[in-house]
């Protein structure tokens, strides 16, 4: 099964340009069996004008809006939809981490996860069976967060509007013996189905995906373009 691991929606990510229903249909047409919605989770979300002075219940509902719309469309179109996050911790911008295995209840009952450090949140992931990957670790000519406090890195990021230096991420993962993933980093129509992984057909949700990733650190990657290794 082709699985998209990195995808944003118009409903919940300020940079998302495609509504969840249309996004799911696009991936269905490309033959993907599952899409994980990883909308941005960061302090800048809660500072948006429509969320200022709102309580966590309303903020969590906004954050989950894109996933819920995608799930509704996926149930109708025959595409599995997983819930994930692209989490940015306070004081660690612009670094971001892709989280797999979370549930709606976890997000609703654990507010402001952005206030943790990466190391603190890695412990939460291990306690709950989540998987944590640093997204595009070399984008903006930065270096990966060290010491390593995550399960793996996104070694292929397909976003065509950024140079994520994927070749450097591949070398870093090999050096550290880390798990790897590929993701399209979908924001706009041209981003659809650029990346992802191949996983078992019996994966049904984000928790299953997290378990698969933790047990299979080198999954087959979907790579549909070439990039300068530097």
């Amino acid at each position: 099964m082709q699985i998209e691991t990195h995808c944003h929606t118009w409903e919940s990510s300020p940079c998302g340009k495609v509504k969840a229903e249309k996004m799911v249909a696009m991936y269905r047409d490309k033959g993907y069996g599952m899409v994980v919605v990883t909308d941005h989770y960061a302090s800048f979300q809660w500072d948006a004008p429509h969320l200022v002075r709102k309580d966590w219940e309303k903020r969590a509902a906004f954050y989950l809006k894109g996933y819920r719309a995608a799930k509704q469309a996926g149930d109708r179109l025959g595409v599995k939809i997983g819930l994930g996050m692209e989490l940015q911790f306070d004081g660690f911008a612009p670094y971001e981490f892709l989280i797999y295995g979370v549930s709606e209840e976890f997000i609703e009952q654990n507010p402001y996860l952005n206030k943790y450090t990466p190391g603190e949140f890695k412990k939460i992931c291990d306690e709950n069976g989540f998987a944590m990957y640093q997204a595009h670790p070399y984008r903006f000519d930065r270096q990966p967060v060290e010491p390593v406090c995550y399960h793996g890195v996104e070694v292929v990021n397909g976003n065509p509007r950024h140079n994520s230096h994927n070749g450097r991420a591949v070398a870093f993962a090999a050096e550290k013996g880390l798990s790897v993933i590929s993701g399209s980093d979908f924001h706009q129509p041209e981003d659809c189905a650029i990346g992802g992984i191949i996983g078992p057909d019996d994966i049904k949700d984000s928790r299953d995906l997290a378990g698969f990733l933790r047990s299979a650190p080198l999954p087959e990657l979907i790579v549909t373009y070439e990039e300068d290794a530097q």
Side-chain angles (χ1 to χ4, degrees), residues 5-119:
T5 66
H6 192 165
C7 181
H8 300 279
T9 69
W10 172 85
E11 287 84 352
S12 296
S13 281
C15 49
K17 305 300 181 184
V18 182
K19 290 188 175 182
E21 182 176 13
K22 181 178 179 181
M23 175 273 293
V24 173
M26 292 172 66
Y27 274 94
R28 186 271 315 270
D29 292 345
K30 292 290 187 178
Y32 279 62
M34 183 176 186
V35 175
V36 184
V37 175
T38 55
D39 281 316
H40 287 287
Y41 188 117
S43 60
F44 62 72
Q45 287 273 52
W46 325 133
D47 294 336
H50 64 287
L51 291 178
V52 170
R53 292 186 293 277
K54 301 294 185 181
D55 60 22
W56 178 249
E57 181 179 3
K58 291 184 174 61
R59 288 175 169 180
F62 170 78
Y63 181 76
L64 291 166
K65 187 176 180 181
Y67 162 74
R68 288 169 172 167
K71 183 69 168 63
Q72 194 171 48
D75 289 346
R76 186 176 69 256
L77 297 173
V79 179
K80 300 172 187 178
I81 304 297
L83 174 60
M85 301 186 288
E86 186 167 15
L87 178 54
Q88 184 182 98
F89 300 102
D90 293 355
F92 284 83
Y95 293 122
E96 296 172 303
F97 296 83
L98 296 163
I99 313 298
Y100 307 104
V102 296
S103 65
E104 295 178 67
E105 292 75 20
F106 179 84
I107 289 175
E108 291 169 338
Q109 295 170 13
N110 295 275
Y112 306 112
L113 301 172
N114 50 284
K115 294 186 179 298
Y116 290 96
T117 67

Side-chain angles (χ1 to χ4, degrees), residues 114-131:
N114 50 284
K115 294 186 179 298
Y116 290 96
T117 67
E120 290 169 343
F121 195 75
K122 166 68 159 48
K123 294 179 181 178
I124 293 174
C125 289
D126 289 338
E127 291 168 358
N128 289 275
F130 303 159

Side-chain angles (χ1 to χ4, degrees), residues 155-159 162-170 223-230:
V155 295
V156 176
N157 179 283
N159 190 309
H162 292 285
N163 185 349
S164 295
H165 303 286
N166 291 322
R168 294 167 66 187
V170 170
V223 183
T224 59
Y225 73 103
E226 296 182 1
E227 181 193 68
D228 186 331
Q230 299 300 315

